[in-house]
Amino acid sequence: VTTFIDNATINTAQIADAAIQTAKIGVAQVDTLRVGIDQITVPRHYYVSGPAGVDLVAGGTCVSGYIDPKGSKVTLIASVTAIAGSGYFRNMTVTIFDPLGQTVSTCGVYTSTANKYYYTATAIGSSTLTGTYTVYAGVGGATGPVSAHDPSLIMLATKR
């Protein structure tokens, strides 16, 4: 038996099994999604817009975020912008720490000739651990206060 419906409004439906070739859905809430052969990328993005309240001369945690990759690989991308309030700084590091406090990746920017007033450094790494990842940043050779701006942590886990 084949039934064709041109237009229908359904408030509640319980369907045990359905074979759907094409569906156009505006908004959907799904508790469990199972995909046959492809992978699904689960993104997490944690950030602070504007000043993060971190003194980079002393160094500190700029942003952190939680992810459960269910054992799959997580790609981590972290960036922090350093802005000198007055004076300048000569080097900057951004480090991503895993949930166990181990270093995942560090990006260091060093210069002996140019004095920096503004710089963005990005660290990229990967891990498989579930938990909270932390982005730490600091500067060296500063002649005045330097603050963290717009710190961002993007985590991409690919699940089957």
Side-chain angles (χ1 to χ4, degrees), residues 1 11-12 14 22-23 31 34-35 44-45 68 71 93 96 110 119-121 127 140 146:
V1 174
N11 292 327
T12 302
Q14 293 181 346
T22 303
D31 292 327
R34 296 181 185 173
V35 177
R44 297 285 184 267
H45 187 199
D68 180 0
T93 59
I96 304 170
Y110 305 96
Y119 197 84
T120 300
S127 177
V146 181

Side-chain angles (χ1 to χ4, degrees), residues 35 37-44 67-76 126-128 155-160:
V35 177
I37 59 171
D38 293 330
Q39 295 180 340
I40 297 173
T41 300
V42 180
R44 297 285 184 267
I67 193 166
D68 180 0
K70 307 274 189 227
S72 69
K73 185 72 79 173
V74 180
T75 300
L76 303 152
S126 64
S127 177
T128 57
M155 300 183 281
L156 303 171
T158 306
K159 299 180 182 180
R160 283 205 179 269

Side-chain angles (χ1 to χ4, degrees), residues 16-160:
D17 190 18
I20 301 170
Q21 293 179 356
T22 303
K24 295 180 182 178
I25 302 170
V27 176
Q29 180 177 344
V30 179
D31 292 327
T32 303
L33 178 63
R34 296 181 185 173
V35 177
I37 59 171
D38 293 330
Q39 295 180 340
I40 297 173
T41 300
V42 180
R44 297 285 184 267
H45 187 199
Y46 297 91
Y47 63 93
V48 176
S49 180
V54 178
D55 173 13
L56 293 181
V57 176
T61 298
C62 297
V63 67
S64 60
Y66 178 87
I67 193 166
D68 180 0
K70 307 274 189 227
S72 69
K73 185 72 79 173
V74 180
T75 300
L76 303 152
I77 305 165
S79 67
V80 178
T81 297
I83 299 177
S86 61
Y88 58 86
F89 57 96
R90 291 190 180 273
N91 55 61
M92 176 182 182
T93 59
V94 171
T95 303
I96 304 170
F97 291 103
D98 70 17
L100 301 176
Q102 302 292 323
T103 299
V104 175
S105 177
T106 297
C107 172
V109 180
Y110 305 96
T111 178
S112 60
T113 56
N115 297 326
K116 300 288 184 189
Y117 302 97
Y118 172 97
Y119 197 84
T120 300
T122 303
I124 300 172
S126 64
S127 177
T128 57
L129 297 177
T130 295
T132 300
Y133 289 81
T134 303
V135 178
Y136 180 95
V139 298
T143 61
V146 181
S147 61
H149 288 255
D150 303 313
S152 176
L153 174 60
I154 299 170
M155 300 183 281
L156 303 171
T158 306
K159 299 180 182 180
R160 283 205 179 269

